[in-house]
């Protein structure tokens, strides 16, 4: 069968009516905090709450209008960007009994998934975000398309010769095999796009440029990046013209690092795995590994770890609470993305305490939670976002100052992470443990007798007369300390504990 090249002119014409288009760079994204959404599972535009059995792997009804209707919910937690699952038209039928509700089974890159709405709905979402000063990140797949009996359904790549010839990936140590063989298996074959073919390559470069401009997209999450040759990506990223963050599934910093050259950055999977090992295994896990891996990432990634997407849950991995019930540990894990160099990403449902295990169980409908804003984790996330925002505005070099780890006596169960004005104290000891951290005066962080506020509780601690700090936690809870002087007396974050700096306020306070 011939490879049927579609005319590039088929891209849908769209009236450009954005109130603002950010087309944001990596530097602009570093100030942001991202809420990740599986569109089908987040909210329905008409506000209904149908049942949704994740094990059935079918569409549950979420759509772009639904996201628009819940932007207050997202923004009130302090997020100023969302990442949504892929938007392009997917195969309509089932593959191996599953439907393409997740959006990763592209049929036509030049049209949209009607289950989520029409072009106008996606443009409305983009505009609604921009009106609030928020960014839109869209998930995209370049590497593969599902195999169908009728190749002509796949557009614009309508023939077998648009794809690498059939071979399933069999050797992850052979990069050619990883790049040119197929993902999936015989029951669920994913055709591997021939990204060695310059005609195909140019179609993809043009496509991404148009997608970004047609829908006012501010950033891209790129799927399965390690399955496409590395030198495909630089021109793809420049065609996109916005921040690109790629999925490179690996625990090895050295393997991941080269991909931070072609794209702006990657989702920080190596540190994700270290965090899983440290916390999810509880006291048997080693916290020191986090420092070790993250320090390597800071060294080896292009732009250090500043441009990475930092996360502890996503749609491909079991949720934290599918294996950990101790809420103190959960609260420690959830803190990590907000206090390191990377851009924090929260997977929808974490704030509600969702507990789904492996895919598909981890893709629960959020509407079934009633969007309850009184959940303890939601409150913590709100504080973490507020702390990061306050840190960015207080310290002009916060975003360029790499995290340092201050060595602790209990190195396997505690971590002290410094990124002034933040000092995060984490432990994997759990709710029945008592843990201590010491920050010596030689760390040079604090003055004598300085008041620090744990912004997760608004409790205060005071440094010693030499500027050193000793802190103990009795229930294994995390602490995020900020000097009282770095807080705002008029802000939302522990304003009562903020140090009053003006004379009038000082008198007030005494
Ligand atoms: C709401 O929208 C869903 C999905 O489009 C639809 O199935 C359902 O019938 C609608 N419910 C109401 C009450 O309009
Ligand atoms: C690596 O994989 C490619 C593609 O499957 C194959 O042609 C090649 O022989 C493999 N190389 C080695 C050394 O196994
Ligand atoms: C690219 O694919 C097209 C369509 O199959 C084919 O005509 C062309 O020869 C290919 N180019 C290369 C360099 O392989
Ligand atoms: C810190 O407090 C101690 C004990 O109250 C006091 O002796 C010392 O002078 C104070 N140091 C400074 C620099 O204020």
């Amino acid at each position: 069968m011939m490879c049927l090249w579609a005319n590039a002119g088929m891209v849908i014409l769209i009236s450009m009516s954005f109130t603002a288009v950010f087309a944001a760079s990596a530097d602009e994204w570093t100030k942001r905090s991202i809420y990740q959404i599986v569109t089908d599972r987040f909210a329905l535009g008409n506000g209904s709450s149908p049942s949704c059995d994740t094990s059935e792997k079918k569409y549950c009804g979420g759509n772009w209008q639904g996201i628009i209707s819940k932007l207050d919910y997202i923004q009130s937690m302090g997020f100023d960007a969302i990442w949504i699952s892929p938007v392009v038209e997917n195969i309509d039928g089932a593959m191996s009994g599953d439907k393409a509700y997740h959006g990763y089974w592209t049929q036509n890159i030049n049209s949209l998934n009607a289950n989520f709405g029409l072009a106008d709905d996606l443009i409305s979402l983009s505009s609604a975000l921009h009106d609030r000063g928020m960014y839109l990140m869209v998930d995209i797949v370049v590497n593969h398309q599902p195999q169908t009996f009728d190749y002509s359904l796949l557009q614009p790549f309508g023939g077998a010769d648009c794809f690498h010839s059939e071979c399933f990936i069999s050797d992850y140590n052979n990069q050619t095999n990883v790049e040119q063989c197929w993902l999936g298996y015989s029951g669920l074959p994913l055709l591997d796009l021939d990204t060695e073919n310059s005609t195909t390559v140019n179609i993809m470069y043009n496509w991404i440029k148009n997608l970004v401009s047609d829908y006012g997209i501010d950033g891209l999450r790129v799927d399965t990046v390690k399955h496409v040759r590395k030198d495909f990506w630089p021109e793809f990223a420049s065609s996109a013209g916005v921040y690109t963050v790629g999925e490179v599934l690996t625990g090895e910093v050295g393997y991941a690092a080269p991909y931070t050259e072609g794209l702006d950055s990657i989702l920080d999977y190596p540190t994700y795995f270290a965090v899983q090992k440290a916390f999810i295994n509880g006291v048997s896990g080693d916290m020191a590994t986090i420092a070790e891996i993250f320090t390597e990432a800071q060294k080896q990634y292009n732009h250090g770890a500043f441009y990475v997407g930092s996360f502890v849950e996503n749609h491909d991995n079991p949720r934290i609470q599918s294996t950990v019930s101790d809420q103190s540990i959960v609260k420690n894990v959830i803190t990590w993305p907000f206090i390191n160099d990377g851009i924090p990403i929260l997977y929808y449902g974490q704030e509600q305490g969702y507990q789904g295990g492996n895919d598909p169980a981890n893709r629960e409908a959020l509407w079934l939670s009633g969007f309850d804003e009184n959940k303890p984790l939601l409150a913590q996330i709100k504080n973490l976002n507020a702390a990061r925002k306050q840190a960015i505005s207080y310290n002009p070099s916060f975003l360029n100052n790499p995290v340092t780890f201050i060595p602790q006596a209990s190195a396997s169960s505690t971590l002290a992470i410094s990124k002034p004005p933040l000092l995060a104290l984490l432990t994997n000891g759990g709710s029945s443990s008592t843990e201590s951290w010491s920050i010596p005066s030689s760390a040079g962080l604090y003055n004598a007798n300085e008041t620090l506020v744990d912004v997760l509780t608004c409790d205060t601690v005071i440094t010693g007369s030499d500027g050193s700090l000793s802190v103990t936690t009795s229930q294994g809870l995390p602490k995020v300390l900020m000097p009282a002087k770095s807080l705002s007396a008029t802000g939302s974050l522990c304003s009562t504990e903020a140090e009053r700096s003006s004379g009038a306020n000082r008198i007030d306070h005494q």
Side-chain angles (χ1 to χ4, degrees):
M1 191 189 290
M2 279 299 295
C3 180
L4 304 173
W5 299 111
N7 177 344
M10 74 184 289
V11 172
I12 312 149
L13 274 180
I14 284 156
S15 59
M16 299 292 287
S17 60
F18 304 118
T19 46
V21 174
F22 296 119
S25 68
D27 279 319
E28 290 164 320
W29 275 88
T30 60
K31 305 182 185 83
R32 301 278 160 163
S33 181
I34 305 171
Y35 185 78
Q36 182 196 346
I37 291 172
V38 174
T39 300
D40 183 60
R41 302 297 162 84
F42 182 68
L44 280 77
N46 64 16
S48 67
S49 297
S51 62
C52 178
D53 179 349
T54 55
S55 68
E56 288 179 0
K57 304 185 193 176
K58 60 175 199 193
Y59 286 97
C60 285
N63 52 31
W64 296 316
Q65 284 294 339
I67 301 175
I68 294 172
S69 74
K70 291 294 171 198
L71 289 180
D72 280 346
Y73 171 81
I74 297 169
Q75 194 174 25
S76 73
M77 284 185 274
F79 294 101
D80 44 17
I82 63 170
W83 149 16
I84 60 172
S85 50
V87 299
V88 299
E89 183 183 354
N90 271 221
I91 55 163
D92 193 38
M95 287 249 295
S96 185
D98 315 348
K99 297 283 242 170
Y101 69 91
H102 42 68
Y104 291 96
W105 293 343
T106 307
Q107 174 162 306
N108 185 344
I109 58 172
N110 290 319
S111 56
L112 297 176
N113 189 331
N115 292 283
F116 306 144
L118 304 173
D120 278 348
D121 297 307
L122 184 52
I123 290 169
S124 298
L125 172 58
S126 170
S127 301
L129 286 162
H130 294 159
D131 286 347
R132 293 165 182 257
M134 295 171 73
Y135 287 172
L136 173 63
M137 174 180 283
V138 169
D139 205 325
I140 53 148
V141 186
V142 169
N143 176 66
H144 55 265
Q145 290 186 250
Q147 191 174 35
T148 62
F149 291 111
D150 182 357
Y151 273 88
S152 70
L153 288 175
L154 301 179
Q155 292 296 328
F157 309 111
D161 55 350
C162 297
F163 301 94
H164 290 125
S165 49
E166 179 170 338
C167 58
F168 289 101
I169 298 170
S170 56
D171 182 3
Y172 273 89
N173 295 315
N174 175 347
Q175 190 58 28
T176 308
N177 190 268
V178 170
E179 290 170 6
Q180 299 187 6
C181 288
W182 299 9
L183 283 164
Y185 52 93
S186 59
L188 203 164
L190 297 170
L191 301 168
D192 200 79
L193 194 65
D194 184 0
T195 39
E196 273 66 32
N197 181 315
S198 61
T199 313
T200 305
V201 166
N202 286 325
I203 287 177
M204 293 313 281
Y205 291 168
N206 281 324
W207 166 70
I208 200 57
K209 184 166 178 251
N210 290 331
L211 188 80
V212 165
S213 75
D214 288 348
Y215 300 106
I217 294 168
D218 307 298
L220 297 168
R221 181 270 185 188
V222 188
D223 194 60
T224 47
V225 163
K226 73 178 186 189
H227 297 283
V228 176
R229 67 188 162 87
K230 291 188 183 73
D231 52 4
F232 169 87
W233 295 115
E235 195 173 339
F236 184 84
S238 65
S239 303
V242 294
Y243 171 63
T244 50
V245 62
E247 177 206 27
V248 179
L249 185 59
T250 180
E252 289 171 38
V253 171
Y255 182 88
Y259 294 97
T260 61
E261 308 280 342
L263 296 173
D264 281 316
S265 200
I266 54 171
L267 296 163
D268 191 9
Y269 258 110
T271 308
Y272 163 82
F273 286 119
V275 169
Q276 294 293 306
K277 273 187 208 141
F279 287 108
I280 309 306
N281 294 338
V283 286
S284 64
D286 191 346
M287 298 288 278
T289 313
I290 299 175
E292 212 172 280
I293 297 285
F294 192 73
T295 304
E296 270 312 301
Q298 288 174 313
K299 274 190 215 144
Q300 293 193 40
Y301 295 167
N302 192 21
H303 306 290
F306 296 120
Y307 290 175
V308 304
S310 183
F311 63 99
V312 293
E313 276 189 14
N314 64 25
H315 58 297
D316 287 327
N317 293 282
R319 291 186 184 272
I320 301 161
Q321 299 208 53
S322 67
T323 46
V324 173
S325 55
D326 187 311
Q327 291 302 298
S328 291
I329 293 182
V330 171
K331 286 175 177 174
N332 276 275
V333 184
I334 280 187
T335 302
W336 167 256
F338 297 89
I339 49 82
N340 72 69
D341 296 338
I343 303 167
I345 302 176
L346 187 100
Y347 182 50
Y348 85 97
Q350 273 184 265
E351 76 278 14
Q352 294 291 340
Y354 274 11
Q355 302 174 354
N358 265 311
D359 162 19
N362 57 0
R363 298 163 179 194
E364 308 96 317
L366 195 68
W367 55 80
L368 298 175
S369 71
F371 301 93
D372 183 350
E373 297 193 40
N374 297 313
K375 291 286 177 65
L377 293 177
L378 190 146
Q380 184 186 337
I381 288 155
K382 212 178 211 175
N383 286 338
L384 288 167
N385 270 326
R388 192 164 178 277
K389 283 288 179 298
Q390 181 64 20
I392 290 170
S393 72
Y394 177 77
N395 178 359
S397 57
F398 177 81
L399 293 169
N400 314 311
N401 242 349
V403 148
T404 55
F405 295 91
I406 301 173
Q408 297 299 303
S410 309
S412 68
S413 61
T414 60
L415 209 52
I417 306 155
S418 171
K419 189 171 172 75
L422 299 183
L423 175 71
L425 305 176
L426 303 185
T427 171
N428 62 2
S431 52
S432 55
S433 75
T434 298
E435 305 283 349
S436 303
W437 296 265
S438 301
I439 309 299
S441 57
S442 61
L445 290 180
Y446 304 117
N447 296 322
N449 307 339
E450 189 171 353
T451 301
L452 309 179
V453 182
D454 175 4
V455 297
L456 301 181
T457 58
C458 298
D459 290 345
T460 57
V461 288
I462 297 176
T463 61
S465 54
D466 62 350
S468 67
L469 178 70
S470 289
V471 180
T472 296
T473 188
S474 60
Q475 294 173 340
L477 289 168
K479 290 183 183 292
V480 177
L481 301 175
M482 294 180 74
K485 68 180 181 210
S486 71
L487 295 172
S488 161
T490 54
S492 62
L493 194 64
C494 306
S495 55
T496 312
E497 288 72 22
E499 187 171 291
R500 316 294 163 128
S501 49
S502 81
N505 278 339
R506 171 67 70 186
I507 290 159
D508 234 355
H509 195 55
Q510 284 166 345

